[in-house]
């Protein structure tokens, strides 16, 4: 495999961290970028960076190119915001990127209800800056994070990339739909290959504290009730992190038989799990029965997600292989180790 120079934004995030580890292990040069915002606890983000070989006091300051990782000279990190157009242009000029993987974004459906501006700044303005830098620096390929949230309340199951998605039910979803439209424009006008990935409920070790698996595990271990929305009558296409990273890696590094320069893919497990079954599996591996606080449906939430991944399978041989039992077991092992819980 030819060595590539790759920009990965969102390196301190859940998916970006795992992807960066894999790319480095394959011998590629990776420049990581993240603003380390406080949407959730930043200590977890600093610890992910530590796992990549960056000490906390080296990554605290903004717009400072850190020396290479203590583990490899092929990994660098810069703390900055995508909205910082001036700094982003400097980064693109300094490194001649072959490929860009834009995973940085303001995440969270419910958070977008109370903090809408954060989504415009990072997901719209920030993404525009990425597109402009790719255009002016002759980047060959841009892979970027979209979301299953773009499907909104669609009643057509499973979700296929051909469905109409013009009725988002959260600003987060609207921002991701906007990213896809913006990418299409740049592919059409500037011949930039863009690949959008609609992620479906990613989970696993080093996962986000605002996601269900993390919240439920922490609450159950601490004998607190868990909030179960819509009385548990929800289903999600939970997708294990290793399967996600495999799909992202292939779209980054492999040439598809699909020669269109604008591509959109679902990337999920293709097997929805009922929320109450999900909770039951967590209880099984913790050996504890949860206390449930049944709640109504939340604004911006959807009843069910279900990915049709045939397109990604046809073009990149994507076949997720981790079932929910394996995935939850691996997460709980990591969680107990990371937070020093005794069995």
């Amino acid at each position: 495999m030819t060595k590539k120079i790759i920009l990965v934004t969102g390196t301190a995030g859940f998916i970006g961290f795992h992807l960066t580890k894999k790319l480095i292990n394959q011998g590629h040069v990776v420049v990581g970028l993240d603003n380390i915002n406080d949407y959730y606890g930043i200590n977890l983000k600093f610890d992910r960076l530590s796992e990549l070989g960056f000490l906390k006091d080296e990554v605290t300051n903004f717009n400072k190119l850190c020396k290479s990782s203590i583990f490899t000279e092929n990994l660098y990190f810069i703390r900055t915001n995508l909205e910082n157009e001036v700094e982003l242009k400097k980064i693109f000029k300094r490194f001649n990127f072959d490929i860009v993987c834009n995973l940085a974004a303001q995440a969270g459906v419910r958070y977008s209800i109370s903090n809408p501006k954060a989504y415009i700044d990072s997901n719209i303005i920030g993404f525009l800056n990425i597109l402009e830098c790719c255009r002016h620096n002759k980047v060959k390929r841009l892979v970027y994070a979209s979301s299953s949230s773009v499907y909104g309340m669609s009643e057509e199951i499973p979700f296929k990339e051909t469905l109409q998605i013009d009725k988002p039910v959260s600003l987060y979803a609207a921002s991701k739909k906007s990213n896809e439209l913006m990418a299409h424009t740049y592919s059409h006008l500037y011949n930039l290959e863009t690949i959008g990935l609609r992620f479906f409920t990613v989970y696993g070790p080093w996962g986000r504290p605002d996601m269900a698996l993390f919240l439920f595990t922490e609450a159950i271990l601490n004998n607190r009730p868990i909030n179960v929305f819509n009385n548990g009558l929800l289903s999600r296409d939970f997708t294990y992190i290793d399967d996600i990273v495999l799909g992202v890696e292939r779209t980054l590094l492999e040439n598809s038989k699909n020669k269109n320069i604008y591509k959109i893919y679902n990337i999920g497990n293709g097997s929805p799990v009922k929320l109450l079954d999900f909770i039951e599996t967590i209880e099984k591996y913790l050996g504890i029965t949860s206390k449930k606080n049944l709640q109504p449906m939340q604004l911006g939430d959807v009843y069910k997600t279900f990915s049709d991944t045939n397109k990604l399978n046809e073009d990149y041989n994507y076949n997720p292989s981790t079932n929910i039992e394996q995935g939850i077991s691996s997460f709980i092992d990591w969680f107990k180790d990371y937070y020093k819980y005794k069995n």
Side-chain angles (χ1 to χ4, degrees):
M1 184 179 291
T2 305
K3 180 193 289 189
K4 303 288 187 182
I5 304 175
I6 305 170
L7 173 65
V8 177
T9 73
T11 315
F14 177 30
I15 301 174
F17 160 70
H18 284 279
L19 176 65
T20 297
K21 284 181 68 176
K22 187 161 190 180
L23 293 174
I24 288 302
N25 288 338
Q26 292 176 342
H28 300 288
V29 176
V30 176
V31 178
L33 184 156
D34 203 293
N35 67 354
I36 317 180
N37 70 21
D38 61 358
Y39 167 63
Y40 59 80
I42 61 173
N43 285 337
L44 180 60
K45 298 181 180 183
F46 282 123
D47 286 345
R48 291 183 187 131
L49 290 173
S50 178
E51 287 285 306
L52 294 173
F54 298 106
L55 302 178
K56 184 175 180 179
D57 60 357
E58 294 177 344
V59 296
T60 300
N61 295 329
F62 276 87
N63 306 324
K64 175 186 175 184
L65 177 65
C66 296
K67 63 183 181 181
S68 59
S69 163
I70 60 175
F71 302 136
T72 173
E73 295 181 351
N74 286 340
L75 177 60
Y76 302 85
F77 178 79
I78 305 158
R79 184 178 186 182
T80 194
N81 292 296
L82 296 186
E83 308 94 281
N84 190 333
E85 181 183 5
V86 172
E87 186 62 26
L88 207 57
K89 285 180 177 179
K90 289 179 183 177
I91 294 168
F92 272 79
K93 290 295 182 186
R94 178 162 186 166
F95 298 94
N96 187 25
F97 297 119
D98 297 301
I99 306 167
V100 171
C101 185
N102 184 51
L103 300 174
Q106 179 55 62
V109 169
R110 293 167 190 149
Y111 188 74
S112 69
I113 305 297
S114 56
N115 296 274
K117 189 176 184 298
Y119 293 78
I120 301 303
D121 290 343
S122 179
N123 300 7
I124 305 297
I125 296 173
F127 189 63
L128 173 63
N129 290 340
I130 288 287
L131 287 167
E132 278 288 282
C133 285
C134 288
R135 167 197 172 192
H136 290 292
N137 291 277
K138 309 301 181 186
V139 171
K140 299 178 180 67
R141 178 178 297 164
L142 167 63
V143 176
Y144 63 95
S146 185
S147 170
S148 62
S149 297
V150 301
Y151 291 109
M153 290 293 189
S154 175
E155 295 180 357
E156 294 187 48
I157 298 293
F159 297 155
K160 296 184 178 182
E161 294 89 346
T162 52
L163 288 177
Q164 290 294 318
I165 55 168
D166 54 359
K167 295 180 180 179
V169 295
S170 70
L171 188 64
Y172 171 68
S175 73
K176 290 301 184 179
K177 162 74 171 176
S178 298
N179 286 171
E180 295 180 3
L181 294 172
M182 294 161 73
H184 183 274
T185 302
Y186 273 71
S187 290
H188 172 72
L189 291 176
Y190 307 115
N191 203 39
L192 169 65
E193 183 182 15
T194 62
I195 302 174
L197 300 175
R198 294 174 178 169
F199 293 116
F200 280 73
T201 316
V202 188
Y203 75 102
W206 294 97
R208 280 170 35 194
D210 63 318
M211 299 294 280
L213 178 55
F214 201 114
L215 291 168
F216 292 165
T217 300
E218 183 179 44
I220 293 169
L221 282 170
N222 287 284
N223 198 33
R224 298 197 311 267
I226 60 175
N227 291 322
V228 182
F229 296 109
N230 199 42
N231 298 310
L233 301 178
L234 300 172
S235 297
R236 290 291 181 267
D237 196 342
F238 293 101
T239 314
Y240 191 64
I241 184 62
D242 290 359
D243 292 327
I244 287 287
V245 168
L246 178 63
V248 177
E249 171 210 342
R250 287 182 178 171
T251 59
L252 278 172
L253 301 175
E254 296 180 11
N255 292 319
S256 167
K257 62 182 180 182
N258 181 347
K259 299 306 177 185
N260 293 326
I261 60 170
Y262 172 78
K263 294 184 273 289
I264 296 288
Y265 296 103
N266 290 332
I267 179 166
N269 193 55
S271 181
V273 176
K274 294 178 181 178
L275 182 58
L276 292 178
D277 292 340
F278 184 72
I279 294 169
E280 187 176 296
T281 306
I282 298 171
E283 293 172 335
K284 172 184 173 181
Y285 285 100
L286 288 177
I288 305 171
T289 300
S290 66
K291 302 172 184 175
K292 299 175 183 65
N293 182 20
L294 299 180
Q295 297 282 311
M297 190 71 169
Q298 296 292 288
L299 278 174
D301 224 339
V302 298
Y303 294 105
K304 185 175 185 177
T305 63
F306 182 179
S307 64
D308 181 326
T309 59
N310 286 330
K311 190 176 175 185
L312 190 59
N313 175 265
E314 290 170 5
D315 290 357
Y316 291 99
N317 194 30
Y318 172 75
N319 286 293
S321 60
T322 310
N323 64 40
I324 202 72
E325 298 248 346
Q326 294 169 316
I328 287 178
S329 174
S330 294
F331 172 82
I332 288 174
D333 286 346
W334 167 81
F335 188 94
K336 287 183 173 180
D337 179 65
Y338 181 76
Y339 288 103
K340 305 297 188 294
Y341 280 90
K342 296 180 179 180
N343 292 323

